[in-house]
Structures are given as structure tokens and as C-alpha cells.
């Protein structure tokens, strides 16, 4: 009796194709581990991307220069006075006026605006009234607007040849949970010409009472 006759199981087992590892080999065991590593790397990359966006959110926020507008009775757009014109305001002591500011988010991250204020000189002729603005949510590349209310005041500090100019607006809020402050230029500045306040009721005409700027 030959050795082949003594081990019939050897002859019955089919041979594996060339280059193919037999069933139950270590390659089969490594395949799930490679899949888990690939998934872990993908999740890690996603978390790193989200973390980076969160960390850079304050720097990523970009707001386009707003173009302010006012009712016709409160101001006049003077074209040719400056690169994009100038909005000359009609000063009326003690009266109120409203400025509408469109907000255009020019970035890929959302921006929740909770505060808006004009960057003012030491003695502003426009004094903010009406309290804080309602929050405005700007989605990525989204837009919105706020309305700011002011009262004409402080004329005692200005002589007849002075101007009060507003060229920037300061925005505060949050983006992806981070605090954000942005100071942007007004595409069209606001200006109050003090020639129209010669009859300022605040002036005492007593030397030393009225400090001029």
C-alpha cells in the first residue's frame, strides 16, 4: 500500500489557484484591520477639519463694505464727493433719524451679529438711541440688514467750518461659538456739515464754555 493510499484526504483536497492564499490565511485576518484603520483615518481627518474651522472661525468671517441708506428727508447722496459718493445728512437738533445698513456675509462660515455701531468721533453729532439691535443671523454667503436709530446732538462742540464724518461700522457677534469683532468700511460714508448748525441751542456764547473740535 502506497503513502497516497494511506492519506486519502491529501488527494481529495483541491489545490489553491496560483497566487491565491488559501482560506483562513493571515491576509483574510488583515483585511478587516485595514478597513478599520481607513475608517479611523477618515474620521480623524473630519474631526481635524471641523476643529480647524472652529479655531479659525473668527479670522474667516468677512463682511462686505455696507452701503448705508437714510430716508430722503434725512440725507442726500452727493455723487462725485469721494470714490462712491457721500451721504450728506440733514442735521436737525434734537430730532431722530434712522440709518439702514445691509450686511453681506462674504465668507464660508456663518456669522450671528449681535451688535452694530458706527465708529464715532469723540463728540458725535449722531447719538445712538433705541437700545441694542436685534440679533441677525447671516448664513455662509448670506445677507441681512439692521436699522440704527440716532438723535442729532452735541452741536456745541463744532464751529461753522467743521465736519463730522462716519466712515466705519463695528460689528460684534459669534461664529461657530467663537466671539467675533469686525470693523468694516462704509462703502458710502456719512457726513454732517456743521454749517447747518450755526443756530445751535446748546451754545452759551460764553468764552471757555464751548470746547471746539
Amino acid at each position: 500500500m502506497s503513502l497516497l493510499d494511506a492519506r486519502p484526504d491529501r488527494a481529495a483536497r483541491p489545490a489553491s489557484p496560483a497566487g491565491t492564499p488559501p482560506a483562513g490565511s493571515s491576509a483574510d485576518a488583515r483585511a478587516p484591520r485595514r478597513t478599520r484603520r481607513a475608517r479611523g483615518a477618515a474620521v480623524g481627518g473630519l474631526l481635524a477639519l471641523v476643529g480647524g474651522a472652529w479655531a479659525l472661525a473668527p479670522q474667516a468671517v468677512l463682511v462686505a463694505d455696507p452701503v448705508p441708506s437714510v430716508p430722503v428727508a434725512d440725507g442726500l447722496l452727493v455723487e462725485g464727493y469721494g470714490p462712491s459718493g457721500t451721504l450728506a445728512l440733514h442735521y436737525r437738533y434734537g430730532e431722530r433719524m434712522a440709518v439702514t445698513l445691509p450686511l453681506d456675509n462674504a465668507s464660508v462660515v456663518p456669522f450671528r451679529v449681535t451688535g452694530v455701531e458706527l465708529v464715532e468721533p469723540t463728540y458725535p453729532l449722531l447719538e445712538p438711541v433705541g437700545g441694542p439691535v436685534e440679533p441677525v443671523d447671516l448664513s455662509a454667503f448670506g445677507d441681512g440688514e439692521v436699522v440704527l436709530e440716532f438723535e442729532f446732538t452735541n452741536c456745541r462742540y463744532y464751529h461753522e467750518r467743521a465736519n463730522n464724518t462716519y466712515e466705519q461700522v463695528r460689528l460684534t457677534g459669534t461664529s461657530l461659538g467663537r466671539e467675533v469683532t469686525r470693523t468694516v468700511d462704509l462703502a458710502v460714508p456719512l457726513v454732517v456739515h456743521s454749517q447747518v448748525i450755526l443756530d445751535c441751542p446748546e451754545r452759551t456764547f460764553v468764552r471757555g464754555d464751548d470746547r471746539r473740535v
Side-chain angles (χ1 to χ4, degrees):
M1 184 172 63
S2 68
L3 293 176
L4 291 177
D5 294 332
R7 299 293 301 275
D9 57 318
R10 292 280 184 92
R13 181 179 298 173
S16 300
T20 303
S25 68
S26 60
D28 293 334
R30 288 196 300 268
R33 290 199 293 269
R34 287 197 298 267
T35 301
R36 289 195 295 270
R37 285 197 296 268
R39 290 175 179 171
V43 172
L46 179 60
L47 292 177
L49 180 62
V50 172
W54 180 83
L56 295 175
Q59 290 74 33
V61 172
L62 178 63
V63 178
D65 295 349
V67 180
S69 61
V70 299
V72 175
D74 294 329
L76 174 67
L77 177 62
V78 182
E79 298 181 359
Y81 192 72
S84 301
T86 297
L87 197 53
L89 302 181
H90 180 197
Y91 185 95
R92 302 181 305 278
Y93 177 81
E95 295 189 25
R96 294 187 176 187
M97 62 158 296
V99 177
T100 299
L101 286 176
L103 301 178
D104 186 2
N105 184 5
S107 55
V108 297
V109 294
F111 184 24
R112 180 176 174 84
V113 181
T114 56
V116 182
E117 60 180 355
L118 292 180
V119 177
E120 300 177 322
T122 304
Y123 302 104
L125 290 169
L126 297 178
E127 183 173 303
V129 295
V133 300
E134 291 292 328
V136 177
D137 290 309
L138 304 177
S139 59
F141 300 107
D143 56 27
E145 71 174 26
V146 297
V147 178
L148 306 178
E149 192 173 1
F150 300 93
E151 180 179 323
F152 291 110
T153 185
N154 281 336
C155 56
R156 66 180 296 177
Y157 300 108
Y158 293 85
H159 59 72
E160 64 276 8
R161 293 180 300 278
N163 292 330
N164 198 177
T165 303
Y166 300 83
E167 298 179 314
Q168 293 182 315
V169 62
R170 184 178 297 109
L171 309 175
T172 55
T174 59
S175 179
L176 301 180
R178 303 291 304 280
E179 297 291 331
V180 177
T181 299
R182 281 288 175 273
T183 300
V184 298
D185 295 335
L186 294 175
V188 176
L190 306 171
V191 65
V192 181
H193 293 277
S194 61
Q195 289 91 332
V196 300
I197 54 177
L198 295 178
D199 58 347
C200 174
E202 292 182 347
R203 291 178 179 165
T204 65
F205 297 102
V206 174
R207 184 178 296 275
D209 280 358
D210 303 327
R211 179 179 177 183
R212 300 287 186 267
V213 294

